[in-house]
Amino acid sequence: MKSQILERAISVLRRRGLHLWSTAVVAREAGCAKGLVHYHYRTKSELLARVADTLKAKRLKARLEALAPGGASALDQLWNAVREEVRSRDFEAWAALLAWPDSRVRQALRPTEDEFSSLGRAAALALELQPSSPEELGRVVDAGLSGFQIGLLRNDVADAVREAYDRFWLGLIG
């Protein structure tokens, strides 16, 4: 039941946003009493922190998997992963959680040094780069990808966002 509550919490956040998200709605969609939600996740912030951690992990996994093949195809797959995160509304849900007042939720969204390093190493391996710091490269890549997702979320012209994405990578390679 705990994992079902978490899944429903993510689903509600995707569909309704944070301002219409509540533990009562999550409980109704999970088919359980509100008290059971609070039994598994003592507070709304605790549940949202778990949602944030889950979205962050899914995001990192998709990016690492996309970069795994290496070369130009990895960049195409990464672009598709970036677009899918926007299309599925996972990015919108992730971004909404940045506004939650409890610092535990915002902290759960932030990649760790190891996660930044993993992303940096994957990008370096995929593109045969020699970064002085994989962690720093990971931070740059993460910030860049988030920026492109913001553009897609704002309904900027997708071709223009893709062109900026390609230029971003050319800048890192060159």
Side-chain angles (χ1 to χ4, degrees):
M1 180 52 72
K2 188 174 183 176
S3 63
Q4 185 175 351
I5 291 168
L6 179 61
E7 289 171 21
R8 293 294 108 211
I10 293 169
S11 177
V12 170
L13 185 58
R14 281 183 193 128
R15 286 191 335 273
R16 299 182 74 161
L18 194 54
H19 63 287
L20 296 175
W21 188 97
S22 71
T23 54
V25 173
V26 171
R28 186 171 53 247
E29 294 214 5
C32 68
K34 185 177 173 183
L36 192 55
V37 172
H38 288 286
Y39 171 78
H40 288 294
Y41 302 95
R42 289 180 307 240
T43 65
K44 186 175 183 176
S45 286
E46 184 179 321
L47 177 52
L48 286 172
R50 187 66 182 117
V51 165
D53 190 54
T54 301
L55 290 172
K56 177 184 73 169
K58 181 180 178 185
R59 175 178 219 210
L60 180 62
K61 181 180 182 217
R63 291 172 177 192
L64 294 176
E65 287 176 355
L67 288 167
S73 67
L75 295 181
D76 289 337
Q77 287 185 42
L78 184 58
W79 172 251
N80 291 335
V82 162
R83 287 180 47 213
E84 175 56 26
E85 192 177 341
V86 173
R87 189 204 60 75
S88 70
R89 301 190 71 181
D90 278 355
F91 178 73
E92 192 172 353
W94 177 87
L97 290 171
L98 289 170
W100 190 252
D102 189 320
S103 63
R104 290 176 300 167
V105 174
R106 291 190 310 275
Q107 185 62 36
L109 291 169
R110 269 187 221 113
T112 64
E113 289 179 15
D114 287 343
E115 290 165 335
F116 279 129
S117 291
S118 293
L119 182 58
R121 281 192 301 276
L125 186 62
L127 301 172
E128 299 177 4
L129 301 173
Q130 301 292 322
S132 57
S133 167
E135 179 189 344
E136 197 56 38
L137 177 59
R139 287 179 186 278
V140 169
V141 169
D142 183 68
L145 297 179
S146 294
F148 302 125
Q149 288 176 307
I150 289 169
L152 292 171
L153 188 62
R154 289 185 343 187
N155 290 318
D156 289 354
V157 176
D159 288 343
V161 177
R162 175 59 196 247
E163 183 178 336
Y165 171 87
D166 291 338
R167 287 180 187 205
F168 169 80
W169 288 106
L170 287 171
L172 285 177
I173 294 168

